[in-house]
């Protein structure tokens, strides 16, 4: 008996270690997991027809931001005398900071190709013009390029230009500080004070570093004899360097080789904690930031159904923050207990709010609008319109609704959050203190 049970235990251990891929734990620096141009056509609910399609997508993989570039320069200095890391000089230059990489171009091109296949019947009936298909991106180049890449994938073979039958498209942007739909945090001056500079946010992050990462960094200090020793925050720098070595160069034998499974899980949680407080449920104010997007989306659906517009598809290209504010307003991926630094061990296995899953490079949200002859939902609020939400091309149930959510119910769920006065909500003189704002919003 003994040897065979040992064998089973061994087998289980192998299974567990096979199941862990550190590249799936890169938080918002994870590459988009679907890498094919294939997609299965959608199944439409009975008596319904897909009549309008909305997309909000993050840009594809990019080079490190200027801030990360500085962190990597710091790592160079800290490891200057460590022979193992001699060859690991910061390989990124500041002129490429934040730009879309070729992998990122491809992520969005493939997303566009899959959209053609998944919604084949829908697109078949559409000839591109700006009254029928609207594209918008943030003013940041990686998002604009992502929109172009998506449109190339979507329309290739259906336009008129050249051998590939390309379709030139128009993409518009609004200035950063006025971009209430895609860069809502930049368009909302008070967001910095309420969410980003929130003392509770800072406390959570610092506590997590101190209580959960100090042993992990000590292991590396001891292993390599680093003196003066690295601080816990430097483990985060190593993690960031690792993610970009993989996403840009497909290289994991440098910084990544210093990190173990436990490090990846904790650093992933640290980033989840950060995004949770900056852009999601961690601060109540964040649940309102997508109100202008949803208000306009609802208007464009109703205008279309009322015959006041011809717009069949609205495609927008933004950022991880955009995706997070959008899922937060409709209550997706919300844990029953708030994410907290001291709850790490309790939460890490069951956590719904995982940025690696929700907001990797090229992450996206589709809203499918169906027009039906059946009546859905209860009288007297019945709908003949349904909405389904997809996050990263998988359907999700909006909390409080069904997979295909009746339009009136969807609007009732959003309630007062739509038709907000965004400008007024974001005015600095509304800000007395964080508690005050939180109280106002709770009412
Ligand atoms: C590396 O070694 C040089 C020469 O011994 C010394 O000047 C420098 O301070 C060391 N740097 C670090 C980070 O230890
Ligand atoms: C396709 O377009 C035609 C003409 O524009 C319209 O009558 C028809 O309802 C459309 N069908 C679909 C599936 O959208
Ligand atoms: C909000 O934060 C900014 C940047 O930290 C600061 O300059 C500004 O005074 C703050 N506004 C209020 C109302 O506290
Ligand atoms: C929605 O369906 C109804 C019939 O059920 C039809 O009269 C109407 O034209 C459709 N609207 C759109 C926008 O396809
Ligand atoms: C029914 O619709 C009204 C008006 O749109 C709304 O106020 C109410 O909350 C809805 N009721 C339900 C149960 O959805
Ligand atoms: C902020 O404080 C002032 C003075 O206490 C008060 O008049 C004002 O109503 C407060 N603003 C909000 C939004 O609570």
């Amino acid at each position: 008996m003994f040897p065979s049970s040992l064998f089973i235990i061994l087998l289980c251990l192998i299974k567990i270690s096979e199941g862990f891929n550190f590249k799936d734990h890169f938080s918002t620096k994870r590459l988009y997991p679907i890498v094919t141009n294939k997609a299965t056509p959608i199944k439409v609910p009975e008596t319904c027809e897909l009549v309008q399609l909305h997309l909000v997508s993050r840009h594809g993989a990019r080079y490190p931001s200027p801030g990360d570039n500085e962190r990597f320069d710091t790592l160079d200095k800290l490891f200057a005398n460590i022979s193992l890391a001699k060859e690991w000089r910061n390989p990124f230059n500041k002129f490429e900071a934040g730009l879309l990489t070729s992998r990122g171009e491809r992520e969005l091109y493939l997303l566009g190709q899959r959209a053609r296949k998944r919604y084949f019947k829908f697109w078949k009936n559409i000839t591109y013009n700006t009254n029928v298909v609207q594209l918008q991106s943030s003013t940041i180049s990686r998002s604009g390029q992502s929109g172009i890449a998506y449109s190339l994938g979507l329309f290739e073979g259906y336009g008129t230009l050249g051998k590939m039958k390309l379709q030139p498209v128009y993409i518009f942007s609004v200035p950063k500080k006025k971009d209430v739909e895609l860069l809502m945090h930049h368009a909302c001056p008070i967001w910095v004070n309420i969410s980003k500079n929130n003392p509770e946010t800072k406390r959570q992050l610092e506590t997590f570093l101190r209580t959960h990462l100090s042993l992990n960094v000590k292991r590396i200090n001891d292993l390599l004899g680093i003196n003066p020793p690295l601080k816990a925050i430097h483990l985060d720098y190593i993690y960031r360097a690792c993610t970009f070595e993989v996403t840009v160069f497909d290289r994991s034998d440098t910084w990544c080789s210093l990190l173990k499974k436990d490090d990846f899980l904790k650093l992933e949680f640290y980033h989840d904690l950060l995004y949770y407080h900056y852009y999601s449920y961690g601060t109540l104010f964040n649940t309102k930031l997508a109100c202008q997007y949803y208000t306009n989306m609802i208007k464009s659906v109703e205008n279309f159904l009322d015959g006041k517009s011809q717009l069949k598809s609205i495609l927008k290209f933004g950022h991880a923050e955009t995706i997070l504010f959008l899922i937060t307003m409709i209550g997706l991926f919300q844990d029953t207990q708030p994410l907290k630094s001291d709850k790490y061990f309790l939460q890490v296995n069951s956590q719904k709010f995982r940025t690696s899953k929700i907001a990797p490079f090229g992450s996206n949200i589709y809203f499918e609008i169906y027009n039906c002859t059946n009546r859905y939902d209860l009288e007297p609020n019945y709908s003949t319109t349904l909405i389904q939400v997809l996050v990263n091309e998988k359907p999700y149930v909006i909390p409080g609704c069904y997979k295909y959510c009746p339009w009136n119910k969807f609007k009732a769920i959003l309630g007062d959050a739509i038709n907000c006065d965004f400008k007024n909500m974001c005015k600095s003189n509304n800000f007395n203190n964080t508690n005050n704002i939180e109280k106002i919003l709770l009412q």
Side-chain angles (χ1 to χ4, degrees):
M1 284 313 280
F2 183 65
S4 78
S5 54
L6 192 68
F7 179 71
I8 287 168
I9 289 168
L10 269 178
L11 215 66
C12 288
L13 285 177
I14 290 166
K15 266 260 153 61
I16 287 165
S17 56
E18 263 179 1
F20 182 78
N21 182 351
F22 68 95
K23 295 176 190 173
D24 292 338
H25 299 269
F26 282 179
S27 178
T28 58
K29 310 304 176 298
R30 184 183 178 209
L31 292 169
Y32 194 68
I34 307 175
V35 288
T36 165
N37 64 4
K38 296 189 173 54
T40 321
I42 51 162
K43 285 199 194 89
V44 171
E46 238 173 85
T47 83
C48 301
E49 183 186 17
L50 179 66
V51 292
Q52 204 184 40
L53 187 63
H54 298 252
L55 166 72
V56 177
S57 175
R58 185 190 183 194
H59 56 78
R62 60 159 170 80
Y63 288 100
S65 64
D68 278 345
N69 249 333
E70 279 172 28
R71 290 183 179 95
F72 305 157
D73 287 341
T74 303
L75 279 182
D76 278 359
K77 289 189 193 114
L78 292 167
F79 282 77
N81 296 339
I82 308 296
S83 59
L84 177 73
K86 274 273 181 316
E87 310 285 296
W88 304 351
R89 301 298 97 184
N90 177 4
F92 301 104
N93 78 60
K94 63 179 181 196
F95 300 109
E96 288 170 338
L99 300 183
L100 195 66
T101 64
S102 56
R103 162 79 190 218
E105 294 170 0
R106 195 172 156 73
E107 283 172 333
L108 270 288
Y109 174 69
L110 290 173
L111 185 66
Q113 290 200 316
R114 290 194 299 276
R116 167 66 63 176
K117 288 176 182 161
R118 182 172 298 114
Y119 304 114
F120 187 76
K121 260 179 87 180
F122 173 79
W123 289 113
K124 206 176 73 176
N125 214 24
I126 292 177
T127 307
Y128 174 83
N129 82 47
T130 53
N131 295 326
V132 176
V133 180
Q134 189 186 72
L135 293 105
Q136 178 183 357
S137 84
S138 79
T139 51
I140 298 165
S141 74
R142 57 180 174 272
S143 298
Q145 268 188 288
S146 292
I148 295 282
Y150 181 93
S151 71
L152 287 173
L154 176 62
F155 292 119
E156 186 177 334
Y158 295 87
T160 58
L161 301 182
K163 272 198 188 132
M164 310 285 281
K165 294 198 175 174
L166 300 178
Q167 172 63 57
V169 298
Y170 171 65
I171 302 191
F172 78 97
S173 302
V174 296
K176 209 167 164 177
K177 290 192 171 162
K178 293 189 172 165
D179 196 347
V180 294
E181 291 191 40
L182 295 173
L183 290 170
M184 41 287 246
H185 54 310
H186 288 300
C188 184
I190 206 64
W191 168 84
V192 173
N193 308 74
I194 298 176
S195 302
K196 184 128 190 228
N197 295 344
N198 190 331
E200 177 58 15
T201 304
K202 217 173 157 207
R203 204 183 64 80
Q204 285 292 328
L205 293 172
E206 282 171 359
T207 307
F208 188 77
L209 283 178
R210 195 178 58 246
T211 55
H212 288 286
L213 283 166
S214 37
L215 276 181
N216 301 57
V217 78
K218 183 173 184 303
R219 189 194 75 237
I220 293 176
N221 283 326
D222 291 351
L223 179 78
L224 299 176
I226 302 178
N227 209 340
L230 303 178
K231 300 191 178 101
I233 190 67
H234 297 138
L235 206 59
D236 173 56
Y237 293 13
I238 293 173
Y239 172 75
R240 289 169 190 253
C242 159
T243 65
F244 282 106
E245 285 277 355
V246 167
T247 57
V248 179
F249 302 117
D250 195 16
R251 210 180 154 166
S252 55
D253 59 348
T254 58
W255 297 106
C256 297
S257 69
L258 294 179
L259 301 175
K260 297 186 173 225
K261 178 177 170 181
D262 182 60
D263 303 325
F264 281 112
L265 290 178
K266 285 179 178 166
L267 287 158
E268 182 188 27
F269 187 85
Y270 176 71
H271 283 250
D272 287 345
L273 209 51
L274 185 151
Y275 288 105
Y276 183 78
H277 284 88
Y278 283 6
Y279 313 111
S280 190
Y281 303 107
T283 314
L284 190 59
F285 187 57
N286 293 337
T287 63
K288 311 283 170 181
L289 267 275
C291 75
Q292 202 63 58
Y293 173 82
Y294 282 108
T295 302
N296 294 351
M297 190 262 258
I298 286 170
K299 225 180 272 164
S300 71
V301 170
E302 295 187 342
N303 281 343
F304 176 75
L305 293 171
D306 293 347
K308 291 187 198 136
S309 110
Q310 286 192 298
L311 268 182
K312 299 211 48 139
S313 189
I314 301 181
L315 310 167
K316 298 184 193 261
F317 300 89
H319 301 268
E321 294 89 329
T322 324
I323 299 289
L324 292 173
F325 284 129
L326 257 64
I327 61 111
T328 300
M329 191 159 144
I330 54 175
L332 286 174
F333 309 107
Q334 183 170 21
D335 295 283
T336 42
Q337 294 296 315
L339 254 62
K340 288 243 156 77
S341 58
D342 57 357
K343 299 268 172 61
Y344 169 71
F345 289 109
L346 286 176
Q347 288 176 333
V348 71
N349 289 319
S350 59
Q351 189 185 324
K352 286 192 200 160
F353 186 83
R354 271 190 193 272
T355 49
S356 299
K357 262 198 181 164
I358 305 167
F361 289 128
S363 49
N364 53 79
I365 306 179
Y366 280 107
F367 296 101
E368 302 168 347
I369 309 296
Y370 292 95
N371 184 33
C372 312
T373 48
N374 267 6
R375 290 176 165 204
Y376 287 89
D377 207 0
L378 299 173
E379 304 280 358
N381 275 6
Y382 74 88
S383 302
T384 53
T385 306
L386 300 177
I387 179 169
Q388 175 172 244
V389 59
L390 280 77
V391 179
N392 300 328
E393 302 170 84
K394 277 198 216 104
Y396 284 89
V397 177
I398 296 167
C401 210
Y402 317 102
K403 189 172 154 210
Y404 296 103
C405 186
W407 186 248
N408 289 338
K409 201 169 175 82
F410 174 67
K411 285 202 332 186
I413 286 169
L414 289 178
D416 291 343
I418 45 176
N419 300 321
C420 64
D421 184 347
F422 190 89
K423 231 180 175 167
N424 192 38
M425 178 178 98
C426 293
K427 259 191 200 150
S428 295
N429 58 13
N430 270 349
F431 183 71
N432 284 358
N433 61 57
T434 308
N435 288 338
N436 195 10
I437 282 276
E438 297 279 290
K439 263 187 221 135
I440 292 164
L441 290 169
L442 271 171
Q443 282 162 5

